[in-house]
Amino acid sequence: INFNLRNVFTANKTVLLLDEIDAIGKDRESVSDSDEAGRALNHLFVCMDGKPSDLVVVAATNLPRLLDPALKRRFQLHIEMPAPTAAQRQTYCEQTLKTHNLHRHITITDDHTAGPSYSALKTTMAHTMAEYVMDNELKLIEGQDMSRKKARK
């Protein structure tokens, strides 16, 4: 991991996004396998401290409470993205169905809007739309098969 981190930080980039930073940025006092995890985190610190001045590092996590305090200090700005409200989840689901021209065919239920995040809603809506399309294509295919069978007789 050390070699890969060094390569990422020395690449000719302007912005570096470290998604799911909690995977290597957990608080060192709470990590059970502290040797390997601690080495990876320390190497991340070295890379961040020696990064080019024109490189912007952005990190994302769903678990900010697990991050090492020293890692948090290396970021000048902390932005919290709260979970969407019920109204925002409803709007997201409606817009998703309209985007795919399925808003007249699928009714949004509480099950659709129960997701705690936009990512969860996206997954739920993708499954719902795929299920609808597959069910209706199957009906269409079955209907075509039936008409072919009748035509053969």
Side-chain angles (χ1 to χ4, degrees):
I1 193 167
N2 293 347
F3 178 74
N4 290 337
L5 274 175
R6 185 173 48 251
N7 286 343
V8 167
F9 275 87
T10 57
N12 189 17
K13 304 292 179 204
T14 305
V15 177
L16 174 61
L17 171 63
L18 302 173
D19 195 12
E20 305 293 345
I21 189 69
D22 52 275
I24 62 170
K26 288 183 182 161
D27 188 341
R28 289 168 287 181
E29 292 188 14
S30 67
V31 177
S32 59
D33 58 344
S34 60
D35 288 344
E36 182 62 31
R39 279 194 298 274
L41 185 55
N42 284 333
H43 190 70
L44 176 62
F45 292 158
V46 169
C47 291
M48 288 183 72
D49 292 343
K51 74 175 185 59
S53 60
D54 59 346
L55 175 65
V56 175
V57 180
V58 178
T61 181
N62 292 331
L63 305 166
R65 67 188 177 284
L66 299 182
L67 296 180
D68 193 281
L71 178 61
K72 290 180 185 178
R73 285 193 301 270
R74 283 173 166 78
F75 290 92
Q76 296 173 347
L77 184 61
H78 299 228
I79 301 172
E80 183 177 342
M81 302 294 290
T85 64
Q88 290 169 326
R89 292 190 308 264
Q90 179 74 24
T91 299
Y92 176 85
C93 292
E94 290 169 358
Q95 289 175 343
T96 300
L97 292 177
K98 284 181 183 175
T99 298
H100 296 281
N101 204 23
L102 292 171
H103 59 286
R104 292 187 186 100
H105 307 286
I106 299 174
T107 302
I108 298 170
T109 66
D110 289 343
D111 290 340
H112 295 118
T113 61
S117 67
Y118 285 114
S119 178
L121 290 172
K122 180 179 178 181
T123 301
T124 299
M125 293 307 295
H127 287 265
T128 299
M129 291 184 299
E131 186 177 299
Y132 173 81
V133 169
M134 290 182 349
D135 285 350
N136 285 288
E137 283 186 9
L138 182 59
K139 289 175 188 172
L140 180 62
I141 291 168
E142 287 173 349
Q144 289 174 352
D145 287 345
M146 295 297 281
S147 63
R148 285 184 193 146
K149 288 178 185 175
K150 288 179 184 176
R152 289 182 192 158
K153 289 184 177 181

